[in-house]
């Protein structure tokens, strides 16, 4: 179970890094927001889901 939580945290950190770099670049680029809006919202939804899943999985570790 510890390996699963560690993998979830690794995915969460990787996605967080991508979002920290990607969202400001998308917002700063002219015309990119309209093209990438759905991808940004989907990525944020996955990030929130990973936070919740990681928290739930962490409760099972003694």
């Amino acid at each position: 179970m510890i390996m699963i939580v560690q993998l979830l945290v690794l995915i969460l950190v990787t996605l967080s890094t991508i979002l920290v770099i990607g969202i400001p670049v998308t917002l700063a680029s002219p015309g990119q927001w309209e093209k990438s809006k759905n991808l940004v919202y989907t990525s944020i939804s996955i990030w929130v889901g990973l936070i919740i899943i990681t928290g739930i999985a962490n409760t099972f570790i003694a």
Side-chain angles (χ1 to χ4, degrees):
M1 189 67 174
I2 293 175
M3 292 285 287
I4 293 171
V5 173
Q6 288 177 344
L7 181 63
L8 286 170
V9 170
L10 176 66
I11 294 169
L12 184 63
V13 168
T14 304
L15 183 59
S16 296
T17 304
I18 291 169
L19 289 175
V20 163
I21 294 169
I23 290 176
V25 169
T26 301
L27 291 174
S29 301
Q32 285 290 23
W33 173 246
E34 295 301 322
K35 295 177 186 175
S36 303
K37 182 172 33 175
N38 290 333
L39 180 62
V40 169
Y41 287 146
T42 303
S43 300
I44 292 171
S45 300
I46 292 170
W47 184 81
V48 169
L50 275 171
I51 292 286
I52 293 169
I53 292 170
T54 303
I56 291 170
N58 194 32
T59 61
F60 295 112
I61 296 176

Tab-separated table of all heavy atoms in Angstrom:
chain	number	residue	atom	x	y	z
A	1	MET	N	0.813	-1.193	0.000
A	1	MET	CA	0.000	0.000	0.000
A	1	MET	C	0.863	1.266	0.000
A	1	MET	O	0.485	2.263	-0.588
A	1	MET	CB	-0.923	-0.031	1.226
A	1	MET	CG	-1.958	1.034	1.216
A	1	MET	SD	-3.098	0.741	-0.114
A	1	MET	CE	-4.283	1.991	0.192
A	2	ILE	N	2.007	1.168	0.651
A	2	ILE	CA	2.902	2.326	0.687
A	2	ILE	C	3.395	2.655	-0.717
A	2	ILE	O	3.507	3.828	-1.081
A	2	ILE	CB	4.075	2.068	1.657
A	2	ILE	CG1	3.542	1.994	3.085
A	2	ILE	CG2	5.141	3.146	1.540
A	2	ILE	CD1	4.583	1.629	4.111
A	3	MET	N	3.661	1.632	-1.511
A	3	MET	CA	4.117	1.853	-2.890
A	3	MET	C	3.053	2.579	-3.714
A	3	MET	O	3.384	3.434	-4.538
A	3	MET	CB	4.477	0.519	-3.552
A	3	MET	CG	5.697	-0.152	-2.979
A	3	MET	SD	7.199	0.653	-3.515
A	3	MET	CE	7.242	0.127	-5.198
A	4	ILE	N	1.791	2.247	-3.493
A	4	ILE	CA	0.703	2.893	-4.228
A	4	ILE	C	0.635	4.372	-3.871
A	4	ILE	O	0.507	5.228	-4.756
A	4	ILE	CB	-0.635	2.182	-3.939
A	4	ILE	CG1	-0.611	0.772	-4.513
A	4	ILE	CG2	-1.804	2.974	-4.510
A	4	ILE	CD1	-1.782	-0.083	-4.101
A	5	VAL	N	0.736	4.676	-2.582
A	5	VAL	CA	0.695	6.076	-2.148
A	5	VAL	C	1.902	6.835	-2.691
A	5	VAL	O	1.777	7.974	-3.144
A	5	VAL	CB	0.610	6.167	-0.619
A	5	VAL	CG1	0.747	7.608	-0.147
A	5	VAL	CG2	-0.699	5.579	-0.121
A	6	GLN	N	3.063	6.209	-2.689
A	6	GLN	CA	4.255	6.860	-3.231
A	6	GLN	C	4.098	7.121	-4.728
A	6	GLN	O	4.511	8.181	-5.226
A	6	GLN	CB	5.489	6.015	-2.968
A	6	GLN	CG	5.923	6.012	-1.527
A	6	GLN	CD	7.113	5.116	-1.267
A	6	GLN	OE1	7.453	4.253	-2.087
A	6	GLN	NE2	7.748	5.302	-0.123
A	7	LEU	N	3.507	6.193	-5.447
A	7	LEU	CA	3.272	6.384	-6.872
A	7	LEU	C	2.265	7.510	-7.104
A	7	LEU	O	2.455	8.344	-7.997
A	7	LEU	CB	2.772	5.081	-7.502
A	7	LEU	CG	2.495	5.122	-8.999
A	7	LEU	CD1	3.787	5.413	-9.762
A	7	LEU	CD2	1.895	3.809	-9.450
A	8	LEU	N	1.204	7.556	-6.298
A	8	LEU	CA	0.224	8.635	-6.414
A	8	LEU	C	0.859	9.992	-6.140
A	8	LEU	O	0.581	10.971	-6.847
A	8	LEU	CB	-0.942	8.397	-5.452
A	8	LEU	CG	-1.931	7.303	-5.832
A	8	LEU	CD1	-2.882	7.029	-4.672
A	8	LEU	CD2	-2.705	7.676	-7.078
A	9	VAL	N	1.728	10.059	-5.147
A	9	VAL	CA	2.405	11.320	-4.830
A	9	VAL	C	3.350	11.711	-5.957
A	9	VAL	O	3.429	12.892	-6.320
A	9	VAL	CB	3.142	11.219	-3.478
A	9	VAL	CG1	4.042	12.428	-3.248
A	9	VAL	CG2	2.144	11.079	-2.345
A	10	LEU	N	4.043	10.755	-6.536
A	10	LEU	CA	4.929	11.048	-7.671
A	10	LEU	C	4.134	11.614	-8.847
A	10	LEU	O	4.531	12.616	-9.458
A	10	LEU	CB	5.687	9.788	-8.102
A	10	LEU	CG	6.567	9.937	-9.345
A	10	LEU	CD1	7.718	10.884	-9.055
A	10	LEU	CD2	7.056	8.585	-9.803
A	11	ILE	N	3.009	10.993	-9.148
A	11	ILE	CA	2.160	11.490	-10.238
A	11	ILE	C	1.637	12.882	-9.904
A	11	ILE	O	1.601	13.773	-10.765
A	11	ILE	CB	1.007	10.501	-10.507
A	11	ILE	CG1	1.550	9.183	-11.041
A	11	ILE	CG2	-0.005	11.093	-11.481
A	11	ILE	CD1	0.531	8.067	-11.087
A	12	LEU	N	1.255	13.099	-8.659
A	12	LEU	CA	0.748	14.391	-8.226
A	12	LEU	C	1.810	15.483	-8.348
A	12	LEU	O	1.538	16.575	-8.846
A	12	LEU	CB	0.246	14.292	-6.792
A	12	LEU	CG	-0.409	15.526	-6.195
A	12	LEU	CD1	-1.663	15.882	-6.960
A	12	LEU	CD2	-0.734	15.280	-4.746
A	13	VAL	N	3.024	15.189	-7.931
A	13	VAL	CA	4.108	16.171	-8.022
A	13	VAL	C	4.437	16.470	-9.484
A	13	VAL	O	4.653	17.631	-9.864
A	13	VAL	CB	5.353	15.677	-7.255
A	13	VAL	CG1	6.573	16.520	-7.568
A	13	VAL	CG2	5.077	15.665	-5.768
A	14	THR	N	4.458	15.444	-10.316
A	14	THR	CA	4.741	15.641	-11.737
A	14	THR	C	3.665	16.496	-12.397
A	14	THR	O	3.977	17.447	-13.130
A	14	THR	CB	4.840	14.277	-12.453
A	14	THR	OG1	5.821	13.481	-11.798
A	14	THR	CG2	5.212	14.451	-13.905
A	15	LEU	N	2.406	16.173	-12.145
A	15	LEU	CA	1.312	16.947	-12.718
A	15	LEU	C	1.318	18.377	-12.191
A	15	LEU	O	1.066	19.325	-12.945
A	15	LEU	CB	-0.032	16.269	-12.440
A	15	LEU	CG	-1.267	16.937	-13.041
A	15	LEU	CD1	-1.154	17.028	-14.553
A	15	LEU	CD2	-2.524	16.189	-12.644
A	16	SER	N	1.630	18.554	-10.912
A	16	SER	CA	1.701	19.900	-10.333
A	16	SER	C	2.779	20.732	-11.023
A	16	SER	O	2.564	21.910	-11.331
A	16	SER	CB	1.990	19.816	-8.837
A	16	SER	OG	0.948	19.179	-8.159
A	17	THR	N	3.921	20.127	-11.264
A	17	THR	CA	5.005	20.830	-11.941
A	17	THR	C	4.599	21.233	-13.355
A	17	THR	O	4.858	22.361	-13.795
A	17	THR	CB	6.275	19.957	-11.982
A	17	THR	OG1	6.613	19.573	-10.651
A	17	THR	CG2	7.429	20.689	-12.627
A	18	ILE	N	3.948	20.325	-14.050
A	18	ILE	CA	3.483	20.624	-15.405
A	18	ILE	C	2.475	21.766	-15.388
A	18	ILE	O	2.526	22.680	-16.224
A	18	ILE	CB	2.896	19.361	-16.059
A	18	ILE	CG1	4.003	18.350	-16.343
A	18	ILE	CG2	2.146	19.702	-17.342
A	18	ILE	CD1	3.508	16.977	-16.733
A	19	LEU	N	1.553	21.741	-14.424
A	19	LEU	CA	0.545	22.793	-14.342
A	19	LEU	C	1.150	24.137	-13.943
A	19	LEU	O	0.731	25.183	-14.461
A	19	LEU	CB	-0.559	22.393	-13.361
A	19	LEU	CG	-1.485	21.277	-13.818
A	19	LEU	CD1	-2.447	20.895	-12.703
A	19	LEU	CD2	-2.240	21.662	-15.063
A	20	VAL	N	2.123	24.134	-13.038
A	20	VAL	CA	2.754	25.385	-12.608
A	20	VAL	C	3.465	26.058	-13.771
A	20	VAL	O	3.501	27.281	-13.872
A	20	VAL	CB	3.727	25.124	-11.435
A	20	VAL	CG1	4.698	26.258	-11.225
A	20	VAL	CG2	2.941	24.863	-10.168
A	21	ILE	N	4.019	25.270	-14.664
A	21	ILE	CA	4.709	25.824	-15.829
A	21	ILE	C	3.723	26.097	-16.969
A	21	ILE	O	3.781	27.136	-17.623
A	21	ILE	CB	5.823	24.870	-16.304
A	21	ILE	CG1	6.905	24.775	-15.234
A	21	ILE	CG2	6.417	25.331	-17.630
A	21	ILE	CD1	7.909	23.676	-15.469
A	22	GLY	N	2.794	25.175	-17.187
A	22	GLY	CA	1.931	25.242	-18.360
A	22	GLY	C	0.834	26.280	-18.312
A	22	GLY	O	0.545	26.935	-19.323
A	23	ILE	N	0.213	26.470	-17.177
A	23	ILE	CA	-0.918	27.400	-17.106
A	23	ILE	C	-0.475	28.849	-17.332
A	23	ILE	O	-1.094	29.552	-18.132
A	23	ILE	CB	-1.704	27.223	-15.793
A	23	ILE	CG1	-2.448	25.891	-15.840
A	23	ILE	CG2	-2.680	28.368	-15.577
A	23	ILE	CD1	-3.190	25.538	-14.580
A	24	PRO	N	0.585	29.343	-16.679
A	24	PRO	CA	1.007	30.725	-16.983
A	24	PRO	C	1.445	30.921	-18.434
A	24	PRO	O	1.181	31.969	-19.029
A	24	PRO	CB	2.173	30.968	-16.030
A	24	PRO	CG	1.954	30.023	-14.918
A	24	PRO	CD	1.330	28.808	-15.535
A	25	VAL	N	2.084	29.909	-19.006
A	25	VAL	CA	2.489	30.011	-20.408
A	25	VAL	C	1.263	30.087	-21.301
A	25	VAL	O	1.202	30.885	-22.249
A	25	VAL	CB	3.398	28.818	-20.798
A	25	VAL	CG1	3.599	28.755	-22.302
A	25	VAL	CG2	4.730	28.912	-20.086
A	26	THR	N	0.258	29.277	-20.993
A	26	THR	CA	-0.973	29.290	-21.775
A	26	THR	C	-1.680	30.634	-21.655
A	26	THR	O	-2.176	31.173	-22.648
A	26	THR	CB	-1.913	28.163	-21.301
A	26	THR	OG1	-1.252	26.918	-21.455
A	26	THR	CG2	-3.188	28.144	-22.094
A	27	LEU	N	-1.745	31.169	-20.461
A	27	LEU	CA	-2.419	32.450	-20.266
A	27	LEU	C	-1.654	33.615	-20.884
A	27	LEU	O	-2.264	34.602	-21.308
A	27	LEU	CB	-2.627	32.707	-18.773
A	27	LEU	CG	-3.632	31.788	-18.081
A	27	LEU	CD1	-3.631	32.055	-16.585
A	27	LEU	CD2	-5.016	31.955	-18.662
A	28	ALA	N	-0.335	33.525	-20.939
A	28	ALA	CA	0.474	34.612	-21.482
A	28	ALA	C	0.538	34.601	-23.002
A	28	ALA	O	0.819	35.628	-23.618
A	28	ALA	CB	1.887	34.544	-20.923
A	29	SER	N	0.266	33.461	-23.616
A	29	SER	CA	0.351	33.368	-25.068
A	29	SER	C	-0.930	33.904	-25.699
A	29	SER	O	-2.031	33.524	-25.300
A	29	SER	CB	0.556	31.914	-25.500
A	29	SER	OG	1.731	31.394	-24.927
A	30	PRO	N	-0.806	34.763	-26.694
A	30	PRO	CA	-2.001	35.317	-27.329
A	30	PRO	C	-2.801	34.242	-28.072
A	30	PRO	O	-2.247	33.501	-28.879
A	30	PRO	CB	-1.463	36.348	-28.312
A	30	PRO	CG	0.001	36.393	-28.144
A	30	PRO	CD	0.415	35.298	-27.228
A	31	GLY	N	-4.069	34.131	-27.758
A	31	GLY	CA	-4.944	33.195	-28.454
A	31	GLY	C	-4.870	31.758	-27.984
A	31	GLY	O	-5.650	30.927	-28.442
A	32	GLN	N	-3.953	31.429	-27.111
A	32	GLN	CA	-3.795	30.039	-26.677
A	32	GLN	C	-4.856	29.624	-25.673
A	32	GLN	O	-5.153	28.449	-25.539
A	32	GLN	CB	-2.409	29.810	-26.062
A	32	GLN	CG	-1.313	29.740	-27.078
A	32	GLN	CD	-1.375	28.476	-27.922
A	32	GLN	OE1	-2.400	27.835	-28.076
A	32	GLN	NE2	-0.255	28.120	-28.486
A	33	TRP	N	-5.415	30.580	-24.918
A	33	TRP	CA	-6.380	30.218	-23.892
A	33	TRP	C	-7.617	29.573	-24.513
A	33	TRP	O	-8.122	28.581	-24.024
A	33	TRP	CB	-6.780	31.435	-23.069
A	33	TRP	CG	-7.881	31.133	-22.120
A	33	TRP	CD1	-9.139	31.638	-22.144
A	33	TRP	CD2	-7.842	30.227	-21.018
A	33	TRP	NE1	-9.885	31.113	-21.120
A	33	TRP	CE2	-9.110	30.234	-20.411
A	33	TRP	CE3	-6.862	29.408	-20.473
A	33	TRP	CZ2	-9.420	29.464	-19.300
A	33	TRP	CZ3	-7.169	28.644	-19.368
A	33	TRP	CH2	-8.429	28.676	-18.798
A	34	GLU	N	-8.088	30.110	-25.601
A	34	GLU	CA	-9.281	29.557	-26.247
A	34	GLU	C	-9.026	28.142	-26.764
A	34	GLU	O	-9.910	27.304	-26.734
A	34	GLU	CB	-9.739	30.462	-27.390
A	34	GLU	CG	-10.207	31.822	-26.932
A	34	GLU	CD	-11.375	31.744	-25.956
A	34	GLU	OE1	-12.253	30.878	-26.142
A	34	GLU	OE2	-11.390	32.536	-25.002
A	35	LYS	N	-7.829	27.878	-27.228
A	35	LYS	CA	-7.492	26.555	-27.750
A	35	LYS	C	-7.262	25.542	-26.635
A	35	LYS	O	-7.599	24.373	-26.771
A	35	LYS	CB	-6.229	26.628	-28.617
A	35	LYS	CG	-6.373	27.436	-29.865
A	35	LYS	CD	-5.061	27.493	-30.606
A	35	LYS	CE	-5.133	28.423	-31.800
A	35	LYS	NZ	-3.841	28.568	-32.452
A	36	SER	N	-6.684	25.983	-25.525
A	36	SER	CA	-6.249	25.068	-24.474
A	36	SER	C	-7.151	25.058	-23.247
A	36	SER	O	-6.828	24.394	-22.265
A	36	SER	CB	-4.829	25.446	-24.032
A	36	SER	OG	-3.954	25.437	-25.121
A	37	LYS	N	-8.259	25.772	-23.287
A	37	LYS	CA	-9.115	25.914	-22.111
A	37	LYS	C	-9.600	24.563	-21.592
A	37	LYS	O	-9.527	24.282	-20.396
A	37	LYS	CB	-10.307	26.813	-22.456
A	37	LYS	CG	-11.220	27.078	-21.313
A	37	LYS	CD	-12.293	28.127	-21.599
A	37	LYS	CE	-12.771	28.167	-22.999
A	37	LYS	NZ	-13.880	29.091	-23.203
A	38	ASN	N	-10.071	23.704	-22.465
A	38	ASN	CA	-10.576	22.392	-22.039
A	38	ASN	C	-9.472	21.514	-21.466
A	38	ASN	O	-9.687	20.797	-20.484
A	38	ASN	CB	-11.269	21.673	-23.197
A	38	ASN	CG	-12.571	22.339	-23.572
A	38	ASN	OD1	-13.211	22.972	-22.741
A	38	ASN	ND2	-12.955	22.198	-24.833
A	39	LEU	N	-8.294	21.574	-22.046
A	39	LEU	CA	-7.158	20.795	-21.536
A	39	LEU	C	-6.746	21.270	-20.142
A	39	LEU	O	-6.454	20.457	-19.265
A	39	LEU	CB	-5.975	20.897	-22.497
A	39	LEU	CG	-4.704	20.139	-22.103
A	39	LEU	CD1	-4.979	18.638	-22.023
A	39	LEU	CD2	-3.593	20.437	-23.076
A	40	VAL	N	-6.756	22.570	-19.927
A	40	VAL	CA	-6.393	23.117	-18.612
A	40	VAL	C	-7.418	22.693	-17.572
A	40	VAL	O	-7.060	22.240	-16.477
A	40	VAL	CB	-6.261	24.657	-18.682
A	40	VAL	CG1	-6.155	25.261	-17.292
A	40	VAL	CG2	-5.060	25.051	-19.523
A	41	TYR	N	-8.702	22.822	-17.895
A	41	TYR	CA	-9.740	22.432	-16.940
A	41	TYR	C	-9.703	20.933	-16.645
A	41	TYR	O	-9.904	20.518	-15.506
A	41	TYR	CB	-11.121	22.821	-17.454
A	41	TYR	CG	-11.400	24.305	-17.390
A	41	TYR	CD1	-12.172	24.929	-18.356
A	41	TYR	CD2	-10.891	25.088	-16.369
A	41	TYR	CE1	-12.438	26.275	-18.298
A	41	TYR	CE2	-11.144	26.447	-16.302
A	41	TYR	CZ	-11.924	27.034	-17.264
A	41	TYR	OH	-12.179	28.373	-17.199
A	42	THR	N	-9.437	20.118	-17.647
A	42	THR	CA	-9.331	18.675	-17.442
A	42	THR	C	-8.135	18.337	-16.558
A	42	THR	O	-8.237	17.511	-15.652
A	42	THR	CB	-9.205	17.953	-18.798
A	42	THR	OG1	-10.334	18.290	-19.611
A	42	THR	CG2	-9.148	16.451	-18.616
A	43	SER	N	-7.013	18.995	-16.803
A	43	SER	CA	-5.813	18.754	-15.993
A	43	SER	C	-6.028	19.148	-14.533
A	43	SER	O	-5.605	18.436	-13.624
A	43	SER	CB	-4.622	19.536	-16.556
A	43	SER	OG	-4.351	19.144	-17.873
A	44	ILE	N	-6.722	20.264	-14.323
A	44	ILE	CA	-7.004	20.695	-12.949
A	44	ILE	C	-7.944	19.711	-12.269
A	44	ILE	O	-7.773	19.386	-11.092
A	44	ILE	CB	-7.566	22.124	-12.944
A	44	ILE	CG1	-6.479	23.106	-13.381
A	44	ILE	CG2	-8.113	22.502	-11.578
A	44	ILE	CD1	-6.964	24.514	-13.618
A	45	SER	N	-8.915	19.193	-13.011
A	45	SER	CA	-9.832	18.196	-12.441
A	45	SER	C	-9.093	16.919	-12.058
A	45	SER	O	-9.361	16.340	-10.998
A	45	SER	CB	-10.938	17.871	-13.440
A	45	SER	OG	-11.682	19.013	-13.760
A	46	ILE	N	-8.176	16.480	-12.895
A	46	ILE	CA	-7.369	15.300	-12.579
A	46	ILE	C	-6.515	15.564	-11.350
A	46	ILE	O	-6.375	14.705	-10.476
A	46	ILE	CB	-6.500	14.901	-13.799
A	46	ILE	CG1	-7.395	14.384	-14.930
A	46	ILE	CG2	-5.460	13.860	-13.419
A	46	ILE	CD1	-6.667	14.193	-16.246
A	47	TRP	N	-5.957	16.777	-11.249
A	47	TRP	CA	-5.133	17.143	-10.094
A	47	TRP	C	-5.942	17.093	-8.800
A	47	TRP	O	-5.490	16.529	-7.805
A	47	TRP	CB	-4.552	18.539	-10.325
A	47	TRP	CG	-3.613	19.000	-9.274
A	47	TRP	CD1	-2.292	18.678	-9.160
A	47	TRP	CD2	-3.918	19.866	-8.180
A	47	TRP	NE1	-1.762	19.311	-8.058
A	47	TRP	CE2	-2.733	20.038	-7.441
A	47	TRP	CE3	-5.072	20.517	-7.765
A	47	TRP	CZ2	-2.676	20.842	-6.308
A	47	TRP	CZ3	-5.020	21.311	-6.639
A	47	TRP	CH2	-3.839	21.463	-5.918
A	48	VAL	N	-7.142	17.642	-8.827
A	48	VAL	CA	-8.008	17.618	-7.637
A	48	VAL	C	-8.374	16.178	-7.285
A	48	VAL	O	-8.367	15.786	-6.118
A	48	VAL	CB	-9.265	18.481	-7.863
A	48	VAL	CG1	-10.294	18.270	-6.761
A	48	VAL	CG2	-8.896	19.952	-7.956
A	49	GLY	N	-8.673	15.367	-8.293
A	49	GLY	CA	-8.981	13.960	-8.057
A	49	GLY	C	-7.813	13.222	-7.433
A	49	GLY	O	-7.996	12.397	-6.528
A	50	LEU	N	-6.604	13.516	-7.903
A	50	LEU	CA	-5.414	12.884	-7.326
A	50	LEU	C	-5.212	13.291	-5.873
A	50	LEU	O	-4.800	12.464	-5.049
A	50	LEU	CB	-4.165	13.262	-8.133
A	50	LEU	CG	-3.874	12.415	-9.352
A	50	LEU	CD1	-2.739	13.033	-10.165
A	50	LEU	CD2	-3.524	11.004	-8.951
A	51	ILE	N	-5.501	14.540	-5.542
A	51	ILE	CA	-5.403	14.990	-4.148
A	51	ILE	C	-6.345	14.165	-3.271
A	51	ILE	O	-5.963	13.664	-2.208
A	51	ILE	CB	-5.758	16.488	-4.033
A	51	ILE	CG1	-4.722	17.352	-4.701
A	51	ILE	CG2	-5.950	16.908	-2.569
A	51	ILE	CD1	-3.430	17.500	-3.969
A	52	ILE	N	-7.579	14.007	-3.724
A	52	ILE	CA	-8.577	13.274	-2.939
A	52	ILE	C	-8.207	11.793	-2.836
A	52	ILE	O	-8.255	11.207	-1.755
A	52	ILE	CB	-9.975	13.476	-3.557
A	52	ILE	CG1	-10.400	14.935	-3.402
A	52	ILE	CG2	-10.999	12.544	-2.920
A	52	ILE	CD1	-11.613	15.323	-4.190
A	53	ILE	N	-7.835	11.181	-3.944
A	53	ILE	CA	-7.481	9.754	-3.948
A	53	ILE	C	-6.254	9.492	-3.087
A	53	ILE	O	-6.206	8.514	-2.338
A	53	ILE	CB	-7.266	9.263	-5.393
A	53	ILE	CG1	-8.596	9.259	-6.153
A	53	ILE	CG2	-6.635	7.880	-5.417
A	53	ILE	CD1	-8.454	9.033	-7.637
A	54	THR	N	-5.244	10.379	-3.168
A	54	THR	CA	-4.044	10.221	-2.357
A	54	THR	C	-4.373	10.344	-0.871
A	54	THR	O	-3.865	9.578	-0.043
A	54	THR	CB	-2.978	11.252	-2.758
A	54	THR	OG1	-2.703	11.115	-4.147
A	54	THR	CG2	-1.697	11.061	-1.966
A	55	GLY	N	-5.229	11.282	-0.535
A	55	GLY	CA	-5.630	11.439	0.863
A	55	GLY	C	-6.369	10.229	1.384
A	55	GLY	O	-6.129	9.776	2.508
A	56	ILE	N	-7.270	9.688	0.575
A	56	ILE	CA	-8.013	8.486	0.994
A	56	ILE	C	-7.083	7.288	1.127
A	56	ILE	O	-7.146	6.534	2.092
A	56	ILE	CB	-9.167	8.202	0.014
A	56	ILE	CG1	-10.240	9.292	0.139
A	56	ILE	CG2	-9.775	6.828	0.265
A	56	ILE	CD1	-11.301	9.237	-0.947
A	57	ALA	N	-6.185	7.121	0.153
A	57	ALA	CA	-5.248	5.998	0.205
A	57	ALA	C	-4.300	6.107	1.389
A	57	ALA	O	-3.898	5.097	1.973
A	57	ALA	CB	-4.457	5.910	-1.098
A	58	ASN	N	-3.970	7.334	1.748
A	58	ASN	CA	-3.048	7.547	2.874
A	58	ASN	C	-3.680	7.164	4.210
A	58	ASN	O	-2.975	6.815	5.157
A	58	ASN	CB	-2.594	9.008	2.896
A	58	ASN	CG	-1.406	9.217	3.785
A	58	ASN	OD1	-0.581	8.328	3.924
A	58	ASN	ND2	-1.321	10.392	4.372
A	59	THR	N	-4.997	7.178	4.306
A	59	THR	CA	-5.651	6.804	5.562
A	59	THR	C	-5.542	5.312	5.846
A	59	THR	O	-5.717	4.892	7.002
A	59	THR	CB	-7.136	7.198	5.559
A	59	THR	OG1	-7.809	6.516	4.505
A	59	THR	CG2	-7.303	8.701	5.401
A	60	PHE	N	-5.257	4.510	4.840
A	60	PHE	CA	-5.145	3.077	5.018
A	60	PHE	C	-3.764	2.633	5.472
A	60	PHE	O	-3.547	1.466	5.745
A	60	PHE	CB	-5.538	2.329	3.741
A	60	PHE	CG	-6.981	2.500	3.385
A	60	PHE	CD1	-7.350	3.220	2.263
A	60	PHE	CD2	-7.963	1.937	4.180
A	60	PHE	CE1	-8.692	3.377	1.945
A	60	PHE	CE2	-9.307	2.084	3.855
A	60	PHE	CZ	-9.678	2.804	2.745
A	61	ILE	N	-2.814	3.542	5.523
A	61	ILE	CA	-1.461	3.212	5.971
A	61	ILE	C	-1.419	3.340	7.492
A	61	ILE	O	-1.782	4.369	8.043
A	61	ILE	CB	-0.412	4.144	5.322
A	61	ILE	CG1	-0.412	3.923	3.815
A	61	ILE	CG2	0.970	3.877	5.907
A	61	ILE	CD1	0.517	4.843	3.068
A	62	ALA	N	-0.943	2.294	8.128
A	62	ALA	CA	-0.918	2.296	9.610
A	62	ALA	C	0.226	3.099	10.155
A	62	ALA	O	1.239	3.270	9.649
A	62	ALA	CB	-0.839	0.875	10.126
